[in-house]
Amino acid sequence: MSLYPVRLDQEEIERYYYEGYSNATLWPLYHDVIVAPVFHRTWWDSYVTANRRFARTAAPTASEGGTIWVHDYQLQLVPRMIREDRADVRIGFFNHIPFPSVELFSQLPKRNQILRGLLGADLVGFQRESDAQNFLAAVRKLLGYHVDGQTISVPGLGAAPVREVVAQTFPISIDSTAVSALTEEPELRERAMQLRRDLGNPQHVVLGVDRLDYTKGIRHRLKAWGELLGDGSIDPRETVMIQVATPSRETGRGIPTAA
């Protein structure tokens, strides 16, 4: 594996990623949560600059007719930028977060630029069918491109012919077979029994395992748990709740109190 660094200074990182366009504009908008997205022109400018640097670094590394795979919402402009320099390569893009409905996506001032950036790819992948359908609807309604099923007809750059871009769903998950096998190991079963004993041998255990991010609804979950205890719907002697949360980002952006 060969690694090619993309150098960004601290201000660019903050405006492009940590507290800027990626995580304060796109992240809340795409998740449609209670935290309102923030829009700043300088953040968008940094997003464009960072995407261009990634594209210029990646494009020369691919062999003639090779394949370039671009990942996630931080790099949505990269496919088109690479396409402009390397018409010979095949480009894939996978979005690891939801893609919003066209009504919600229309709030984004630079929505059309984002769509055109993604359509530089040959294949655009999403985790859920609803995300793919939202993307297809946005392309059809906002750009006016012809959509036939999962295939989009994209006008070529300059004198280039019309290209076909496919939007598909590729659900991702854990290796459920391997995890299931682990539950049969004697040492793990004994450890699980010990954990239950440490909790007072409750009849029921409610478990949450999440990143410490406001999109996970941990604050609302704890509030709901408190209400269940308060109105007597659950008996704390019979049912306990365990919430495991790992830090979302080192700057604390994902922590509810920082949202």
Side-chain angles (χ1 to χ4, degrees):
M1 179 183 293
S2 299
L3 303 179
Y4 298 84
V6 178
R7 302 190 183 280
L8 303 172
D9 63 35
Q10 186 61 38
E11 183 177 10
E12 288 174 327
I13 292 174
E14 291 175 358
R15 291 182 176 181
Y16 152 67
Y17 184 65
Y18 281 130
E19 301 293 338
Y21 196 79
S22 293
N23 292 330
T25 302
L26 295 176
W27 180 265
L29 180 71
Y30 280 33
H31 283 87
D32 188 18
V33 291
I34 57 175
V35 177
V38 180
F39 306 103
H40 290 299
R41 181 182 297 275
T42 56
W43 289 0
W44 167 254
D45 293 340
S46 294
Y47 186 82
V48 173
T49 298
N51 273 244
R52 184 172 291 113
R53 290 189 186 176
F54 276 95
R56 288 177 175 173
T57 301
T61 67
S63 59
E64 185 72 21
T67 299
I68 297 178
W69 192 4
V70 185
H71 285 267
D72 223 1
Y73 66 105
Q74 302 96 337
L75 300 175
Q76 293 176 108
L77 304 179
V78 169
R80 180 184 174 98
M81 291 175 173
I82 293 177
R83 175 74 55 196
E84 292 171 346
D85 291 335
R86 293 290 307 273
D88 62 293
V89 298
R90 300 287 287 175
I91 303 172
F93 180 91
F94 187 78
N95 195 55
H96 292 263
I97 66 173
F99 194 88
S101 67
V102 64
E103 293 81 11
L104 187 61
F105 185 69
S106 294
Q107 296 180 27
L108 192 63
K110 301 297 184 178
R111 53 192 174 273
N112 287 359
Q113 289 92 322
I114 292 292
L115 292 177
R116 291 191 179 98
L118 291 170
L119 290 173
D122 297 287
L123 175 65
V124 184
F126 301 91
Q127 294 190 40
R128 306 176 303 177
E129 182 63 25
S130 60
D131 298 325
Q133 292 303 316
N134 286 343
F135 174 71
L136 291 168
V139 168
R140 183 174 57 251
K141 294 181 180 180
L142 299 179
L143 297 182
Y145 292 171
H146 177 71
V147 176
D148 182 9
Q150 296 176 304
T151 303
I152 306 163
S153 296
V154 179
L157 298 174
V162 172
R163 296 173 43 250
E164 288 190 345
V165 178
V166 176
Q168 287 187 346
T169 305
F170 302 94
I172 58 176
S173 183
I174 62 172
D175 186 345
S176 58
T177 301
V179 173
S180 180
L182 286 175
T183 65
E184 301 302 320
E185 294 187 6
E187 292 183 0
L188 290 182
R189 294 180 68 87
E190 173 56 33
R191 177 56 177 154
M193 293 173 61
Q194 182 60 53
L195 288 172
R196 186 176 287 272
R197 288 193 292 268
D198 293 342
L199 295 171
N201 285 316
Q203 295 182 21
H204 307 285
V205 176
V206 178
L207 174 66
V209 181
D210 307 90
R211 286 189 302 107
L212 190 57
D213 190 288
Y214 59 83
T215 62
K216 305 306 178 182
I218 298 175
R219 174 184 290 176
H220 303 83
R221 192 178 308 162
L222 294 175
K223 181 180 179 181
W225 183 256
E227 293 182 357
L228 290 172
L229 290 172
D231 63 21
S233 297
I234 55 176
D235 186 341
R237 295 168 296 182
E238 299 178 352
T239 305
V240 300
M241 177 183 179
I242 299 176
Q243 176 65 54
V244 180
T246 57
S248 181
R249 299 183 184 94
E250 61 187 50
T251 61
R253 171 61 191 158
I255 300 174
T257 54

